[in-house]
Amino acid sequence: MSVGFTATQRGRLATLGVDEQAGQAFASEGERNQAFAEIEKKMSRENRSKIEHLLADKHTSDAFDIQCALEKWLTGEMGFTKVSTPSIISGEMLDKMSITEDSRLREQVFWVGRNKCLRPMLAPNLYVVMRELHRITNGPVRIFESGSCFRKETQGAQHLNEFTMLNFVELAACRPGEQAERLEFLSKSAMSALGMEQYELKHEKSTVYGETLDVEASGVELASGSFGPHKLDAAWGVFEPWVGVGFGIERITLVKGNHKTIKRIGKSITFLDGVPLSV
Ligand code: ATP
Ligand code: MG
């Protein structure tokens, strides 16, 4: 008769990042427990040394470095300006995004009091800020925000309830009819700023955004981009051509770092830079 690791041992192996060893079989419980103790000791040592390296030399997480690389590209050669807007928005902002009672995204919203919520996306605030900046300058507007977004997700390997979106938008910066081309150019340039060569661009249809362009790598969606004018614009007082892309910072970190689950990389009190603190 052969025995496998217990559920608790398998959970611990997953936390330590070695769940591929969880399927092993042993001749006895004693042999199994000894194998488990050895793996745990080895992995704890490796994870500890990663934490020591982070504290002594590295100092910033991979997710932070990825966000910085995109921000440096945007504020440098691309001439975008960084804005920072509130995480709590009104329910009317969702209505104006056509995220209405019957939509899937509406069910994912965390409500704060009766008519405020934690933003599920950055787009509503960016619509307002880009419109105001265009009113003031009457010229092209290029802005972006990096910030937390919140969605009730049935927890999976690629979804967090709180994640970091980096959304950049351009208003009145290209000629009518050139938006799709510009969107593709910006998506490709962003990937090159990230040093990522292996990815696919996929054209999709979205109920909120109309025609969208998704960036996918290793089968994971990293970003969704869209452009206007489209049907939502009038409600926001926006009438010029625009292009926007929202990247998920943790999704990029997941794929670049070849991690199995996004939980390790997201905002956490149990993981730091992909490493478990329980070592
Ligand atoms: P998915 O279909 O993968 O759930 P989405 O299309 O609903 O994502 P978007 O609204 O397009 O997501 O958001 C833009 C980007 O934000 C996504 O491409 C992804 O990188 C990231 N993102 C969205 N939801 C989450 C989440 N729950 N956790 C982590 N990242 C997310
Ligand atoms: Mg998407």
Side-chain angles (χ1 to χ4, degrees), residues 98-160:
S98 85
I99 301 169
T100 45
E101 303 298 339
D102 53 353
S103 76
R104 186 180 75 92
L105 193 52
R106 189 82 176 199
E107 286 165 24
Q108 294 184 280
V109 171
F110 288 97
W111 290 95
V112 179
R114 272 221 306 276
N115 193 32
K116 290 196 177 301
C117 66
L118 299 177
R119 60 182 173 190
M121 53 177 56
L122 304 179
N125 290 351
L126 293 178
Y127 251 126
V128 175
V129 177
M130 76 177 183
R131 177 197 65 211
E132 289 304 290
L133 293 175
H134 182 62
R135 182 182 58 74
I136 294 165
T137 64
N138 204 28
V141 173
R142 294 188 174 91
I143 56 168
F144 73 97
E145 175 161 14
S146 311
S148 278
C149 290
F150 305 83
R151 296 181 191 178
K152 288 180 190 167
E153 304 276 5
T154 42
Q155 299 294 321
Q158 296 175 15
H159 290 89
L160 294 161

Side-chain angles (χ1 to χ4, degrees), residues 214 221 223-224:
D214 281 4
E221 181 187 313
S224 279

Side-chain angles (χ1 to χ4, degrees), residues 168-184:
F168 55 87
V169 287
E170 260 188 0
L171 176 65
C174 71
R175 279 199 292 271
E178 290 178 352
Q179 296 94 317
E181 202 183 313
R182 182 73 183 156
L183 178 59
E184 206 164 305

Side-chain angles (χ1 to χ4, degrees), residues 18-277:
V18 282
D19 38 353
E20 65 278 359
Q21 298 190 37
Q24 286 182 60
F26 302 91
S28 69
E29 286 185 5
E31 203 178 289
R32 173 199 66 195
N33 292 347
Q34 194 186 340
F36 174 77
E38 277 166 20
I39 299 172
E40 196 196 26
K41 194 167 165 208
K42 176 170 172 283
M43 287 316 297
S44 289
R45 204 184 307 121
E46 278 181 24
N47 282 314
R48 265 171 188 277
S49 86
K50 281 186 193 162
I51 289 173
E52 279 161 9
H53 169 60
L54 176 70
L55 297 179
D57 308 304
K58 190 168 176 260
H59 300 306
T60 53
S61 67
D62 289 347
F64 181 79
D65 295 345
I66 281 166
Q67 184 178 324
C68 287
L70 282 175
E71 295 194 355
K72 192 165 164 239
W73 164 70
L74 285 165
T75 55
E77 61 190 282
M78 301 306 289
F80 282 71
T81 297
K82 181 167 169 151
V83 303
S84 199
T85 72
S87 294
I88 297 177
I89 64 173
S90 70
E92 286 85 47
M93 296 282 251
L94 296 185
D95 297 337
K96 275 168 91 174
M97 289 301 295
S98 85
I99 301 169
T100 45
E101 303 298 339
D102 53 353
S103 76
R104 186 180 75 92
L105 193 52
R106 189 82 176 199
E107 286 165 24
Q108 294 184 280
V109 171
F110 288 97
W111 290 95
V112 179
R114 272 221 306 276
N115 193 32
K116 290 196 177 301
C117 66
L118 299 177
R119 60 182 173 190
M121 53 177 56
L122 304 179
N125 290 351
L126 293 178
Y127 251 126
V128 175
V129 177
M130 76 177 183
R131 177 197 65 211
E132 289 304 290
L133 293 175
H134 182 62
R135 182 182 58 74
I136 294 165
T137 64
N138 204 28
V141 173
R142 294 188 174 91
I143 56 168
F144 73 97
E145 175 161 14
S146 311
S148 278
C149 290
F150 305 83
R151 296 181 191 178
K152 288 180 190 167
E153 304 276 5
T154 42
Q155 299 294 321
Q158 296 175 15
H159 290 89
L160 294 161
N161 283 332
E162 176 177 359
F163 62 97
T164 312
M165 178 104 77
L166 186 156
N167 197 164
F168 55 87
V169 287
E170 260 188 0
L171 176 65
C174 71
R175 279 199 292 271
E178 290 178 352
Q179 296 94 317
E181 202 183 313
R182 182 73 183 156
L183 178 59
E184 206 164 305
F185 168 78
L186 288 170
S187 303
K188 286 180 179 169
S189 306
M191 292 308 283
S192 128
L194 288 166
M196 294 178 80
E197 309 295 334
Q198 304 290 322
Y199 62 90
E200 283 177 83
L201 296 181
K202 292 200 167 163
H203 294 267
E204 309 271 343
K205 292 258 180 270
S206 144
T207 45
V208 178
Y209 298 111
E211 200 180 318
T212 64
L213 183 69
D214 281 4
V215 183
E216 282 187 23
S218 307
V220 177
E221 181 187 313
L222 303 184
S224 279
S226 56
F227 59 87
H230 73 58
K231 61 182 165 78
L232 294 180
D233 293 1
W236 298 96
V238 165
F239 304 101
E240 287 75 20
W242 62 266
V243 172
V245 186
F247 274 89
I249 296 298
E250 294 87 358
R251 290 271 181 97
I252 304 168
T253 316
L254 178 80
V255 170
K256 273 198 102 174
N258 212 9
H259 292 278
K260 286 196 206 79
T261 73
I262 201 165
K263 198 178 81 179
R264 305 177 85 87
I265 310 144
K267 295 188 177 185
S268 178
I269 55 169
T270 50
F271 289 94
L272 188 57
D273 196 22
V275 184
L277 293 175

